[in-house]
RNA sequence: GGGCUUGUAGCUUAGUUCGGUAGAGCGACAGACUCUUAAUCUGUAGGUCAAGGGUUCAAAUCCCUUCAGGCCCGCCA
């Protein structure tokens, strides 16, 4: 099936106008327009302009958002990235031929350049009194309605460019996202961290517990995984002698999609030699509180019905204390059988599986505590079974020096005193491998080269990973991760699905059969 | 994987309860209008009611299947 202007839903009337413009010999898609002023600059420079036309002229450009045709005059709104401004176009100024040409061929959505002078209308609106209009790009797709904009969530995600054109608040979300990444980078660079890029295509995946995407390299004739975390490579850099490193990493996890999970997501991972998990909590707290303060001018921000308070220090409590305080269960005061009964009474699912106090600790934490941690809260001291890359706790038998940061019930950060004992690491990997063989699709693979790296010696090191998407959700008051990811993962639309399957086949990759 | 729910014109939507020729606003098109700003006024066109099947004299509406969303739960250690 071939694509045509009709099948693409290009607007007939606008295609006609393109023909008219081209027949008139007017270039429709010129290569360049010398814009002298942005709309924001114009607004600032002419903020005091009066009802008389200004002496100074402006040359600006942008997209037409509304057109109000009054016969011999036109009012229109022109917008660029910096803002919007009204245009006033008169037949007297352009001359009859020019004016009629513009009037009959200009559409909402077109991109034009204008030259003119500034004045203030009777009603007080700063306006460009236009004396020349240049077509820069003819839009052949009609924009959504000017007043209601584009509301259809599915369409907003699938055609993000339209969402960005018409929804100011959506543009603001992604502006914030860009600033978040930039501020994190600056925060770390100011403290002499070096930013590196490590492999996304990995022969062995690790650094987290998750199912990977797989792919295949034809030349090497080898299966590769898209990384689920950059952790094991960044630690190799610490072995190599870089003492403060970070990576702003896109990770890929082949798992379910919901309001808090996208198959590809962004994380900043940070490692610092001669630090431990407590230092990393402090670093995390520093980054996040500075982000909040820089973006909002205060430490308190509204999120849904809550006010989140980011003034440091954040609350910190051990997992045992968190469970004791919030679930009302003292793990150490009960036998596993008693704990099972308690879990059952509290209607926690899977209460039959755990065997040890530590396993019940995790069960109670996940079942009764996690989603109640609304204000920024560090939870530390995790059972060793769930933390194969974290150092054993210096005093607490059976635990690791690991923490997670929770905000609004979401895991935002995860860090620990990094395990640097190669023999211990080998034992932990072997434990993970046994779980994998037993069918745990998310258990980690044994990475022999990583253990070898540790064999050369890694200094005591603190590390932390921060989920950028979720952080942006909090900072922009959005309740779905899709709202803060420009192009979230979606199923192809029905019509295109068959073609896609066909193309995938042609690539020699069979889509998994259903069932 | 389970539950609930949505899909009607380019966009925003009414109509679905209780079956009876699919309605509006914006946008488009034609026309009027030289300080409007969701401009206004007059007129015109535009619909496979997500797709397919069924029930019925008759289906946007009821039933079934499928597709694509959304919310919640499970899974995500």
């Amino acid at each position: 099936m071939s694509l045509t202007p009709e099948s693409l839903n290009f607007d007939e009337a606008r295609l006609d106008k393109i023909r008219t413009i081209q027949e008139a010999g007017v270039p429709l898609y010129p290569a360049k327009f010398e814009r002298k002023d942005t709309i924001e600059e114009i607004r600032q420079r002419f903020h005091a302009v009066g009802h008389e036309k200004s002496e100074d002229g402006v040359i600006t450009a942008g997209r037409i958002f509304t057109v109000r045709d009054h016969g011999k005059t036109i009012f229109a709104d022109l917008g660029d990235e910096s803002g919007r401004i009204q245009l006033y176009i008169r037949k007297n100024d352009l001359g009859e031929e020019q004016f009629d040409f513009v009037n009959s061929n200009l559409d909402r959505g077109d991109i034009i350049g204008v030259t003119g002078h500034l004045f203030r209308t009777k009603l007080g609106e700063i306006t460009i009194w236009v004396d020349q209009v240049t077509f820069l790009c003819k839009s052949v797709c009609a924009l959504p309605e000017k007043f209601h904009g584009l509301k259809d969530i599915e369409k907003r995600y699938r055609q993000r460019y339209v969402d960005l054109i018409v929804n100011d608040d959506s543009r603001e979300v992604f502006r914030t996202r860009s600033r978040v990444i930039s501020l994190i980078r600056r925060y770390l660079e100011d403290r002499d961290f070096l930013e590196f890029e490590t492999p996304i295509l990995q022969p062995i995946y690790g650094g987290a517990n998750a199912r990977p995407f797989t792919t295949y390299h034809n030349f090497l004739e080898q299966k590769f995984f898209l990384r689920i975390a950059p952790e094991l490579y960044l630690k190799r850099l610490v072995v190599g002698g870089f003492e403060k490193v970070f990576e702003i990493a896109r990770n890929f996890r082949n798992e379910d999609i919901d309001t808090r999970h996208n198959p590809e997501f962004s994380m900043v991972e940070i490692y610092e030699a001669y630090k431990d998990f407590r230092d990393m909590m402090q670093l995390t707290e520093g980054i996040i509180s500075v982000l909040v303060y820089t973006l909002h001018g205060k430490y308190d921000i509204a999120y849904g019905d809550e006010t989140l308070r980011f003034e440091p220090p954040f609350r910190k409590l051990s997992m045992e204390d968190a469970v004791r305080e919030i679930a009302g269960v003292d793990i150490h005061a009960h036998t596993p059988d008693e704990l099972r009964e308690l879990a059952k009474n509290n209607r926690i699912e899977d209460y039959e599986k755990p065997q040890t106090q530590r396993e019940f600790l995790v069960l109670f934490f996940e079942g009764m505590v996690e989603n109640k941690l609304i204000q920024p809260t560090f939870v530390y001291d995790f059972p060793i079974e769930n933390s194969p890359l974290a150092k054993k706790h210096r005093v607490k038998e059976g635990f690791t020096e690991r923490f997670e940061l929770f905000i609004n019930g979401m895991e935002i950060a995860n860090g620990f005193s990094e395990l640097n004992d190669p023999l211990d690491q080998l034992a932990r990997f072997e434990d993970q491998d046994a779980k994998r063989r037993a069918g745990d699709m998310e258990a980690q693979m044994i990475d022999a080269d990583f253990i070898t790296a540790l064999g050369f010696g890694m200094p005591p090191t603190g590390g932390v990973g921060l989920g950028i998407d979720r952080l942006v959700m909090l900072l922009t008051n959005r309740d779905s991760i899709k709202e803060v990811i420009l192009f979230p993962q979606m199923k192809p639309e029905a019509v295109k699905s068959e073609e896609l399957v066909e193309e995938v086949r042609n690539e020699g990759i069979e889509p998994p059969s259903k069932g």
Side-chain angles (χ1 to χ4, degrees):
Chain A
M1 193 186 85
S2 66
L3 294 175
T4 63
E6 292 73 37
S7 75
L8 289 165
N9 256 330
F10 284 4
D11 188 278
E12 283 297 331
R14 291 179 183 221
L15 292 169
D16 284 343
K17 288 174 187 177
I18 283 184
R19 274 170 229 126
T20 306
I21 296 170
Q22 280 170 338
E23 277 162 22
V26 176
L28 243 188
Y29 300 98
K32 174 144 185 176
F33 179 78
E34 288 289 348
R35 175 170 73 164
K36 291 277 191 292
D37 319 86
T38 69
I39 287 168
E40 176 60 25
E41 283 162 8
I42 291 169
R43 283 193 172 280
Q44 281 180 12
R45 183 142 59 95
F46 292 93
H47 73 278
V49 76
H51 296 297
E52 297 296 311
K53 213 203 268 193
S54 69
E55 299 238 331
D56 278 3
V58 295
I59 304 178
T60 190
R63 190 186 291 276
I64 294 291
F65 281 94
T66 50
V67 179
R68 296 178 290 283
D69 174 14
H70 288 250
K72 295 189 180 62
T73 63
I74 304 166
F75 285 94
D77 296 316
L78 186 77
D80 67 11
E81 192 186 338
S82 72
R84 291 196 189 181
I85 197 162
Q86 180 168 258
L87 304 180
Y88 181 49
I89 306 169
R90 302 198 318 166
K91 193 171 229 172
N92 288 11
D93 303 316
L94 267 62
E96 179 142 0
E97 197 184 333
Q98 252 308 301
F99 182 85
D100 289 346
F101 182 78
V102 169
N103 197 11
S104 55
N105 291 311
L106 187 66
D107 284 305
R108 179 158 185 270
D110 288 351
I111 294 168
I112 63 168
V114 299
T115 66
H117 299 262
L118 271 289
F119 81 111
R120 196 175 287 274
T121 65
K122 261 198 275 190
L123 296 172
E125 175 95 20
I126 289 183
T127 301
I128 299 176
W129 194 316
V130 173
D131 47 48
Q132 201 182 325
V133 173
T134 311
F135 280 100
L136 300 180
C137 178
K138 184 75 195 163
S139 165
V140 291
C141 298
L143 287 177
E145 203 218 13
K146 60 187 168 190
F147 188 62
H148 295 94
L150 182 66
K151 290 197 163 155
D152 187 289
I153 291 175
E154 186 177 347
K155 221 160 249 175
R156 284 185 46 236
Y157 297 157
R158 287 191 195 280
Q159 297 189 290
R160 181 67 87 183
Y161 39 91
V162 181
D163 182 39
L164 292 170
I165 290 171
V166 299
N167 293 326
D168 291 343
D169 54 339
S170 184
R171 229 167 31 247
E172 196 52 39
V173 164
F174 292 104
R175 197 170 282 133
T176 299
R177 182 181 174 113
S178 178
R179 291 201 67 199
V180 166
I181 291 170
S182 158
L183 287 166
I184 290 172
R185 183 172 274 132
R186 190 178 313 162
Y187 187 99
L188 292 168
E189 285 175 344
D190 285 350
R191 285 157 184 78
D192 299 321
F193 282 84
L194 298 181
E195 179 175 4
F196 290 105
E197 292 169 288
T198 63
I200 292 172
L201 288 177
Q202 304 182 347
I204 295 172
Y205 63 92
N209 294 64
R211 296 174 66 172
F213 286 91
T214 59
T215 186
Y216 185 81
H217 192 285
N218 293 335
F219 180 75
L220 295 176
E221 297 183 347
Q222 187 191 330
K223 186 168 156 182
F224 278 89
F225 303 98
L226 270 58
R227 73 169 165 214
I228 57 174
E231 172 151 355
L232 302 185
Y233 284 94
L234 288 170
K235 284 198 243 187
R236 284 169 166 98
L237 298 184
V238 180
V239 169
F242 290 117
E243 295 175 356
K244 298 171 125 187
V245 303
F246 74 102
E247 178 165 9
I248 294 174
R250 189 77 63 92
N251 295 333
F252 306 83
R253 298 191 184 174
N254 206 340
E255 286 167 358
D256 287 3
I257 296 174
D258 61 30
T259 50
R260 292 173 175 194
H261 299 85
N262 194 65
E264 52 182 298
F265 66 102
S266 297
M267 169 174 282
V268 55
E269 262 196 31
I270 309 163
Y271 294 88
E272 185 170 6
Y274 308 107
K275 299 288 178 184
D276 68 5
F277 74 124
R278 292 187 175 276
D279 298 313
M280 297 324 276
M281 278 195 255
Q282 215 165 12
L283 179 70
T284 305
E285 182 174 274
I287 292 172
I288 293 176
S289 58
V290 164
L291 265 181
V292 170
Y293 198 87
T294 307
L295 292 169
H296 289 270
K298 53 187 166 62
Y299 285 119
D300 291 0
I301 64 174
Y303 186 81
D305 299 331
E306 305 283 347
T307 298
L308 301 176
R309 302 178 202 287
F310 287 92
E311 183 158 6
F314 299 169
R315 191 169 188 217
K316 299 180 181 69
L317 68 177
S318 71
M319 188 181 277
E320 294 137 293
D321 287 345
V323 168
R324 187 182 301 121
E325 198 172 302
I326 294 161
V329 176
D330 185 346
I331 295 294
H332 301 293
H334 299 282
T335 64
D337 284 341
E338 290 168 349
L339 290 169
R340 188 170 295 112
E341 197 60 23
L342 272 170
K344 194 174 165 185
N345 293 342
N346 280 296
R347 270 168 279 142
I348 303 179
E349 303 214 3
D350 287 336
Y351 58 84
E352 282 170 8
K353 225 161 52 181
Q355 299 299 327
T356 65
Q357 283 180 328
R358 291 202 298 276
E359 285 168 355
F360 275 107
L361 176 64
V362 173
L363 186 79
F364 279 108
F365 180 75
E366 288 175 356
M368 296 178 71
V369 177
E370 226 175 63
N371 60 10
K372 296 201 177 73
L373 299 175
I374 302 302
Q375 296 300 328
T377 306
F378 286 107
V379 175
Y380 57 85
D381 293 355
F382 280 55
I384 191 165
E385 294 79 4
N386 311 97
S387 311
L389 301 166
K391 186 176 279 209
K392 279 178 184 156
H393 201 282
R394 62 194 80 177
V395 292
K396 232 183 252 181
E397 179 73 25
F399 287 82
T400 55
E401 298 199 350
R402 174 183 180 186
F403 69 88
E404 284 186 356
L405 172 63
F406 290 90
I407 307 174
N408 192 47
M410 282 193 293
E411 181 193 335
I412 298 294
N414 176 18
F416 26 90
S417 302
E418 302 298 334
L419 176 54
N420 62 343
D421 173 346
L423 300 178
D424 190 1
Q425 186 65 76
L426 175 59
R428 308 274 197 100
F429 271 140
E430 275 170 347
D431 179 52
Q432 287 288 310
D433 195 54
K435 284 182 179 163
R436 266 169 59 80
R437 286 172 198 286
D440 182 349
M441 300 289 286
E442 277 144 13
Q444 303 201 21
M445 300 173 93
I446 298 181
D447 187 336
D449 182 71
F450 174 67
I451 299 168
T452 304
L454 292 185
F456 280 89
M458 181 172 84
T461 298
V464 65
L466 253 143
I468 289 175
D469 313 273
R470 290 177 177 183
L471 206 50
V472 175
M473 285 170 68
L474 295 171
L475 289 163
T476 57
N477 196 12
R478 302 286 134 165
D479 54 12
S480 168
I481 200 167
K482 289 195 176 78
E483 291 288 340
V484 303
I485 290 176
L486 279 165
F487 304 101
Q489 215 64 49
M490 309 273 279
K491 278 197 189 180
E493 287 167 285
V495 194
K496 293 170 186 162
S497 188
E498 280 305 308
E499 297 168 32
L500 192 81
V501 167
E502 195 55 38
E503 270 185 46
V504 168
R505 286 224 173 88
N506 293 342
E507 289 296 319
I509 303 167
E510 283 293 325
S513 55
K514 283 191 174 176

